[in-house]
Amino acid sequence: MARVKGFDGLRAIAVLAVMLFHVDRGIAGGGWIGVDLFFVLSGFLITTLLLREHARNRRIALADFYVRRFARLYPALLVMVVACLPFAAYLGYKSQAEGYVVTAAVTLTYLSDIAIYLSGHAYGRFTHTWSLAVEEHFYLLWPIVVVLLRGRRRFVLAAALGGATLSFLATAFGSGRTVFDKGTPVAYFAPHTRMFELLLGAAAAALVFSRAGHGPGRQLDRLVGGRVGGVLRPVAPALAPLGLLGLGAVMVYAGAVPRSEGFTLQLLAAGLTSCLLVLGVYLAQGSALVRALEWAPLAWLGTVSYGIYLFQSPILKLADHYLDAGTLSQLVVWLPLTVGAAALSNRYLEAPVRDWARRRLTTSAPHAPLPQQSHDTAAAKVEVDAGSLR
């Protein structure tokens, strides 16, 4: 699977929306919708990669998948927790240095989402890691489902749609209870309620997956003779613009009303418009919108979006606490520190670790003929680089 043009740009849009939401909720009150785009994109990529691996090898190496996920995500998370140790008295649970042990434990075990759901409060100031925890639970469980379904596209599609429906119903019935005394529904943080967006992305991937052609932009040509292709062919170029406009409208609406007002429908609308956007970018690789998303600064920002998401929240909270600065002053301090930390993390930590994991898994693959091994190496690189939330 070649690099999907435009996906890094989508990551950049998502992380910029989240950053603006965190720094000024008055101006960018709907920026939290950026997480929904991350979820859909992750579900789409992971499912495409799993289906392609099964189509190529007639099996999915679960152990290798988990190793790649761990190598891609965990080192930077660990560094964030360690780097914040000097500020444990502020960032720790109950704003106590001793509480930082609890904060670190909840964060490093990917239990932030469950902890918030069960207790109604955060265990420290790493609240933003709840979304990483939701994704990690998806990474843990969904590949097993795909393996049990033997990589059959229609079964995977049915499972994704069924799971998304159940998860959405859980969201609808669980949005009454709020947390943090801010009117935020607890369903916003729970793994079983937010899983539906990841599964929407998974369903979109299964819908357009073709064993005959694995490359982005070529799927549609392989599907033209079938029902899906007959529907998508005339509308494919319009999917991404419609999805982008729809997602923008959802963000504007979400910023204009309290999060508890129409929360369930906001999530559904965000998930569906994100699906349109991701599908449109994937199927129409030569479109003007994709070319715009490939603008070098935007694409680069997308490549370091995971690090940006990790570091932006603690750096912003520390700047707010110790500098007591206004929004403009916060931006002057926070933005370069966040982007700089993410760039350094990507270059000197994340990239070397994932390259090491890729080489290790490639060299340990038993009885792999050279042409196939070469293809697998490229595929592994795409999975490590492109399959994560951030």
Side-chain angles (χ1 to χ4, degrees), residues 216-366:
R218 294 194 295 272
Q219 246 59 348
L220 191 58
D221 294 334
R222 304 288 184 175
L223 291 166
V224 166
R227 296 177 183 176
V228 176
V231 173
L232 290 181
R233 186 179 190 183
V235 300
L239 291 180
L242 285 175
L244 187 60
L245 289 173
L247 192 63
V250 175
M251 285 187 181
V252 171
Y253 176 78
V257 300
R259 203 180 309 186
S260 57
E261 185 176 320
F263 168 73
T264 304
L265 291 180
Q266 289 178 44
L267 283 186
L268 180 61
L272 293 176
T273 52
S274 294
C275 271
L276 284 180
L277 179 55
V278 170
L279 275 174
V281 169
Y282 187 74
L283 292 173
Q285 286 281 281
S287 67
L289 179 57
V290 170
R291 290 195 296 272
L293 290 172
E294 282 292 289
W295 182 49
L298 193 68
W300 178 83
L301 200 65
T303 64
V304 298
S305 58
Y306 175 59
I308 288 176
Y309 185 85
L310 269 182
F311 295 112
Q312 51 87 28
S313 184
I315 291 175
L316 178 61
K317 290 172 181 175
L318 290 171
D320 182 54
H321 179 69
Y322 289 103
L323 300 179
D324 194 26
T327 299
L328 182 59
S329 300
Q330 282 179 350
L331 282 173
V332 171
V333 174
W334 166 67
L335 191 59
L337 283 178
T338 297
V339 175
L344 290 172
S345 173
N346 182 68
R347 179 168 183 176
Y348 296 108
L349 176 66
E350 298 168 52
V353 171
R354 67 176 176 250
D355 288 345
W356 171 84
R358 184 173 65 247
R359 289 194 304 270
R360 188 68 178 263
L361 292 175
T362 301
T363 56
S364 63

Side-chain angles (χ1 to χ4, degrees), residues 101-165:
V101 176
V102 177
T103 301
V106 170
T107 300
L108 294 175
T109 54
Y110 291 107
L111 292 175
S112 298
D113 54 346
I114 295 175
I116 294 172
Y117 176 72
L118 293 178
S119 67
H121 60 80
Y123 287 83
R125 299 185 188 275
F126 292 152
T127 314
H128 67 301
T129 60
W130 72 269
S131 62
L132 306 182
V134 170
E135 277 221 337
E136 196 64 28
H137 299 150
F138 175 78
Y139 296 151
L140 181 65
L141 298 175
W142 182 241
I144 298 175
V145 174
V146 177
V147 168
L148 291 176
L149 296 174
R150 299 183 178 180
R152 296 178 180 175
R153 184 187 68 85
R154 292 183 180 180
F155 291 172
V156 171
L157 174 60
L161 289 176
T165 301

